[in-house]
Amino acid sequence: MLLRMAIVDDTVQDAVRLEADLRRCAREPLALSCSHFGSGDALLAALSPGAYDLLFLDICMEGTDGIETARRVRQLDPKCLIVFVSSSGEYVWQSFSVHPFDYLRKPYEPEQIAHVLSEAARALSFAEPEIEIRVARKRVLLPFSQICYATAENHYVSVMTPSGEQRASLTFAELRQALSADPRFLLCNRGILINMDEVLKFEPGRVLMKDGASFPIRQRDKNGLFNTFTQYQFRHMRRER
C-alpha cells in the first residue's frame, strides 16, 4: 500500500526528523511518499483533491496557521487524514472542529509514530480494493483509485499514479483481469487501460487525460467505447447528487 503524505512545518529540522521517523517505522507492505511544505499557504497553493492520504500539520506557523489550513483542506479534500503536530496541548480542543485523525505532541515517541502509521493504513485500507504489484523488487499495494491509467511496455506495465509512474512487474493481462470488475476502468486500445475518473475529454480519435496524457481510441469500437464512457459519467453524476 502506498501512503502519500505531506509534512507542513516551518521548522525544516522538525520536518526532516518527522519524515525520517516515519520511514523508520514503516513496515512492508506499506510504502511512503512524502512532500514537504514550509507553510500552510504553500500547501494550499499546491493542493488538489486526492493528492495526499495523510497530512502532518504544524499548528503554529507564519501566515495561515495549521487549524485554518486544515479547515480549507477539509473543504477541498474531506477524505484526507490530518494529524496535528504541536509542542503545546492547548490547541487540542480547538482542533476538534476540523475532525483530526490524531494529535502529536512534540517531542513525540517513536511508538506514537508507528501507531499513527498503522492506524492510518488500516483506516485507508477499508476505503477501496487494492492490487498488489512489484516495483523495483518491492511489493506495493496500490489502491484502484490511484491508477490513472496503465500501458503495456515490453516486459513490464507502466502504471501512472498521482505520485508518478510505477513500472510494475506483471503482465498487462494480469492487471486487466484484476481490474475487470471495477466499472472505472476502460480498455480504450490494445495495451491501454484508463481510469474514467481521470479522463478530461473523450474525443472521436483519442482520449485526453487530466494530467495531459493522450491515448488513441480503437477506431472500430469507438462508438461503443464512447457510449460506455458517457453511461459511466451519467451514473457517476447521479451518485454524487
Side-chain angles (χ1 to χ4, degrees):
M1 177 181 184
L2 177 64
L3 190 61
R4 299 163 301 156
M5 308 181 304
I7 297 174
V8 186
D9 199 318
D10 57 1
T11 303
V12 175
Q13 278 182 306
D14 287 353
V16 170
R17 180 199 163 195
L18 178 55
E19 180 179 356
D21 288 342
L22 286 162
R23 293 194 180 280
R24 271 194 294 270
C25 292
R27 297 289 181 267
E28 288 192 4
L30 189 63
L32 307 180
S33 68
C34 189
S35 302
H36 288 236
F37 298 92
S39 67
D41 296 309
L43 169 72
L44 294 169
L47 189 65
S48 60
Y52 300 107
D53 304 305
L54 183 61
L55 290 183
F56 289 88
L57 280 176
D58 188 22
I59 291 182
C60 297
M61 297 182 290
E62 292 290 330
T64 306
D65 65 29
I67 291 177
E68 178 58 28
T69 297
R71 187 170 290 113
R72 298 185 191 179
V73 168
R74 279 275 168 266
Q75 294 171 353
L76 187 65
D77 191 351
K79 294 182 180 179
C80 184
L81 303 181
I82 295 174
V83 177
F84 285 118
V85 184
S86 176
S87 57
S88 171
E90 66 179 288
Y91 302 102
V92 171
W93 298 110
Q94 189 180 348
S95 72
F96 282 176
S97 64
V98 291
H99 312 292
F101 184 71
D102 211 330
Y103 192 107
L104 283 177
R105 286 280 304 275
K106 299 177 185 179
Y108 48 79
E109 298 297 327
E111 293 79 10
Q112 292 174 279
I113 295 295
H115 177 74
V116 168
L117 276 180
S118 64
E119 288 297 297
R122 190 169 72 90
L124 292 166
S125 68
F126 287 114
E128 62 174 314
E130 298 171 320
I131 181 173
E132 181 182 305
I133 61 175
R134 286 198 169 272
V135 178
R137 298 184 180 180
K138 291 184 179 180
R139 186 178 64 167
V140 175
L141 288 175
L142 190 63
F144 284 11
S145 67
Q146 292 186 27
I147 301 174
C148 301
Y149 49 85
T151 57
E153 302 283 348
N154 296 325
H155 303 298
Y156 64 90
V157 175
S158 171
V159 180
M160 185 57 68
T161 75
S163 302
E165 181 190 27
Q166 305 282 348
R167 293 190 171 192
S169 299
L170 79 169
T171 68
F172 186 81
E174 289 170 337
L175 178 67
R176 185 183 176 191
Q177 177 62 34
L179 302 176
S180 61
D182 193 306
R184 286 175 288 191
F185 294 96
L186 177 69
L187 186 72
C188 70
N189 213 323
R190 183 178 180 183
I192 303 172
L193 191 67
I194 61 171
N195 183 340
M196 290 187 281
D197 286 342
E198 298 298 321
V199 171
L200 179 65
K201 189 183 297 185
F202 206 105
E203 297 180 343
R206 65 170 187 162
V207 58
L208 182 63
M209 309 302 291
K210 291 178 181 178
D211 69 353
S214 175
F215 298 111
I217 295 169
R218 192 170 53 240
Q219 288 302 294
R220 68 175 181 273
D221 299 326
K222 64 180 181 180
N223 292 334
L225 291 170
F226 182 71
N227 287 338
T228 299
F229 174 72
T230 53
Q231 288 170 14
Y232 173 79
Q233 291 295 309
F234 180 68
R235 290 194 301 270
H236 185 69
M237 285 188 293
R238 285 198 304 182
R239 287 197 303 268
E240 291 183 338
R241 286 177 183 173

